[in-house]
């Protein structure tokens, strides 16, 4: 669906229409590249960034630009939080004439041959290099969700979690951080490397865990198993042992998106969740709290949500994260 300015002019699309940011049949996604107006309006942030990355690459002429950072994470299929509207990112290893511009951010850095891979014909940084770069220069929210998603790809098959595989992956990233000692953001990357957990299934769970840590919780377990009434295993997103409380990140998708309801009506999904929640509370005698992205947007929002369920927040503890 991408069309260059030249292609559209050849089709007699008026120049005035291409110059308009808010009207006309075409909207710009990168300099000189357009899509039909409205075509990307309803895309999830990952899909939107992927479109804009391909658009930026279509205008490249020569040079050694490699898709990197969050843009590379999207190409690797990782689900991240906090990337809406983020510019396309590339690392330039050869043609230093390429400059940053609105919608495109340039990083100048060295890349070895084993740090460059090809995904669907697009050169991008390897998974290991991508996770390290995002952890080093991105926000903690984006860095943790990226590292969690990568660890999940490495250490989880179906519902089986391989702790040894995760620790081997963590060691590789530790070694990379040690080799980059003194560089910008390495202390932040080290913190993310120690914190990530591939058992987190969604960016909302990653963000929940980070905000709980910021609130002072330290006894944080992930995907806590609870025996169900008919021998099945329930997995609760997060367990807070010190306050005997479960936290479940409740994305709207499992209620509103038909594909995620697996043929069930909304009423059937709600009833199933209610019965599951009642069972878990009954057999564990723990609280079970739920919340969505709005509730984990900040530590303060999460503290307010927990307070609504009567959950105390740790007080005599340093709640700050200072990865310097």
């Amino acid at each position: 669906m991408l069309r260059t300015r030249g292609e559209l002019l050849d089709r007699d699309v008026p120049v005035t229409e291409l110059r308009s940011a808010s009207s006309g049949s075409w909207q710009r996604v990168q300099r000189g590249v357009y899509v039909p107006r409205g075509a990307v309006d309803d895309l999830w942030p990952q899909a939107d960034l992927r479109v804009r990355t391909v658009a930026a690459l279509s205008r490249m002429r020569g040079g050694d630009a490699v898709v990197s950072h969050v843009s590379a994470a999207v190409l690797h299929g990782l689900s991240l939080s906090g990337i809406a509207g983020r510019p396309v990112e590339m690392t330039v290893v050869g043609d230093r004439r390429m400059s940053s511009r609105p919608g495109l951010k340039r990083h100048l850095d060295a890349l070895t041959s084993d740090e460059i891979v090809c995904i669907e014909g697009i050169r991008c940084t390897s998974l290991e290099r991508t996770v390290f770069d995002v952890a080093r220069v991105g926000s903690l929210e984006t860095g943790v969700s990226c590292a969690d998603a990568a660890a999940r790809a490495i250490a989880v098959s179906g519902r089986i979690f391989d702790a040894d595989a995760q620790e081997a992956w963590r060691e590789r990233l530790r070694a990379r951080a040690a080799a980059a000692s003194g560089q910008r953001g390495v202390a932040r990357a080290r913190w993310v490397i120690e914190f990530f957990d591939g058992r987190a299934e969604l960016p909302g769970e990653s963000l929940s865990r980070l905000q709980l840590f910021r609130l002072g919780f330290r006894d944080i377990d992930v995907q806590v198993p609870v025996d169900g009434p008919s021998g099945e295993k329930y997995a609760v997103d997060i367990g807070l042992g010190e306050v005997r409380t479960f936290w479940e990140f409740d994305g709207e998708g499992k209620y509103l998106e038909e594909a995620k309801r697996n043929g069930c009506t909304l009423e059937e999904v709600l009833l199933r969740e209610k019965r599951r929640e009642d069972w878990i509370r009954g057999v564990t005698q723990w609280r079970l709290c739920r919340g969505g992205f709005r509730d984990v947007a900040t530590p303060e929002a999460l503290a307010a949500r927990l307070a609504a369920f009567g959950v105390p927040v740790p007080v005599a503890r340093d709640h700050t994260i200072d990865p310097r």
Side-chain angles (χ1 to χ4, degrees):
M1 62 183 172
L2 298 172
R3 295 290 182 269
T4 66
R5 175 184 171 89
E7 288 172 331
L8 294 177
L9 292 177
D10 285 344
R11 298 183 183 193
D12 294 326
V13 176
V15 174
T16 53
E17 185 171 325
L18 300 183
R19 288 175 178 169
S20 174
S22 59
S23 63
S25 302
W26 298 90
Q27 67 186 80
R28 191 173 74 171
V29 290
Q30 281 289 334
R31 186 170 66 182
V33 185
Y34 300 79
V35 296
R37 183 163 299 281
V40 298
D41 290 352
D42 296 327
L43 293 180
W44 287 95
Q46 281 88 349
D48 173 66
L49 182 53
R50 186 184 182 92
V51 169
R52 291 187 286 110
T53 298
V54 174
L57 287 168
S58 72
R59 302 296 292 164
M60 295 292 174
R61 294 185 176 88
D64 294 312
V66 177
V67 178
S68 62
H69 296 75
V70 168
S71 299
V74 168
L75 293 181
H76 280 285
L78 306 182
S79 295
L80 288 74
S81 62
I83 66 170
R86 192 180 181 100
V88 174
E89 292 176 274
M90 297 189 184
T91 293
V92 182
V93 296
D95 185 2
R96 293 177 178 267
R97 292 172 297 174
M98 173 186 162
S99 59
S100 297
R101 62 172 186 265
L104 178 65
K105 184 175 182 178
R106 177 192 66 166
H107 300 271
L108 288 175
D109 209 342
L111 293 173
T112 61
S113 59
D114 63 344
E115 292 177 324
I116 302 174
V117 298
C118 193
I119 298 178
E120 297 181 12
I122 299 175
R123 293 194 333 142
C124 66
T125 48
S126 66
L127 183 63
E128 182 179 322
R129 176 62 191 256
T130 297
V131 171
F132 182 68
D133 283 343
V134 174
R136 188 168 58 87
V137 303
S139 67
L140 283 175
E141 288 82 352
T142 303
V144 169
S145 63
C146 180
D148 280 359
R152 183 166 185 81
I154 294 290
V156 177
S157 178
R159 302 291 298 182
I160 307 301
F161 171 67
D162 187 337
D164 291 337
Q166 173 164 285
E167 287 311 301
W169 172 246
R170 198 186 308 275
E171 282 299 326
R172 288 177 58 180
L173 289 168
R174 284 171 177 157
R176 178 174 289 276
S181 181
Q183 293 184 18
R184 169 176 164 250
V186 172
R188 174 187 293 262
R190 286 196 183 103
W191 191 91
V192 172
I193 289 167
E194 299 307 318
F195 188 72
F196 76 70
D197 194 321
R199 293 175 296 170
E201 294 184 342
L202 296 167
E205 294 176 29
S206 301
L207 186 54
S208 297
R209 209 171 79 256
L210 175 62
Q211 304 298 31
L212 287 166
F213 188 92
R214 282 171 164 160
L215 287 175
F217 291 101
R218 295 297 180 265
D219 184 7
I220 304 174
D221 200 3
V222 181
Q223 293 299 313
V224 183
V226 177
D227 291 331
S230 302
E232 70 272 38
K233 286 283 187 182
Y234 293 142
V236 191
D237 293 342
I238 293 173
L240 303 173
E242 55 201 288
V243 289
R244 295 178 59 82
T245 298
F246 290 121
W247 170 263
E248 288 245 287
F249 178 79
D250 224 10
E252 295 179 353
K254 68 180 175 183
Y255 302 109
L256 302 180
E257 296 177 26
E258 290 188 17
K260 292 185 179 180
R261 296 206 302 259
N262 296 319
C264 297
T265 65
L266 175 58
E267 291 77 11
E268 289 171 332
V269 172
L270 290 171
L271 181 58
R272 182 181 63 200
E273 285 294 306
K274 177 67 166 59
R275 287 173 173 169
R276 173 180 175 273
E277 184 174 315
D278 288 346
W279 177 268
I280 291 171
R281 283 201 185 103
V283 299
T284 65
Q285 296 299 297
W286 282 30
R287 301 181 188 89
L288 196 154
C289 312
R290 294 177 177 272
F293 275 115
R294 182 180 305 172
D295 302 301
V296 296
T298 65
E300 292 76 18
L302 182 52
R305 183 63 175 170
L306 293 173
F309 288 88
V311 181
V313 173
V315 287
R317 185 174 291 165
D318 181 7
H319 295 184
T320 61
I321 297 173
D322 187 18
R324 286 182 293 179

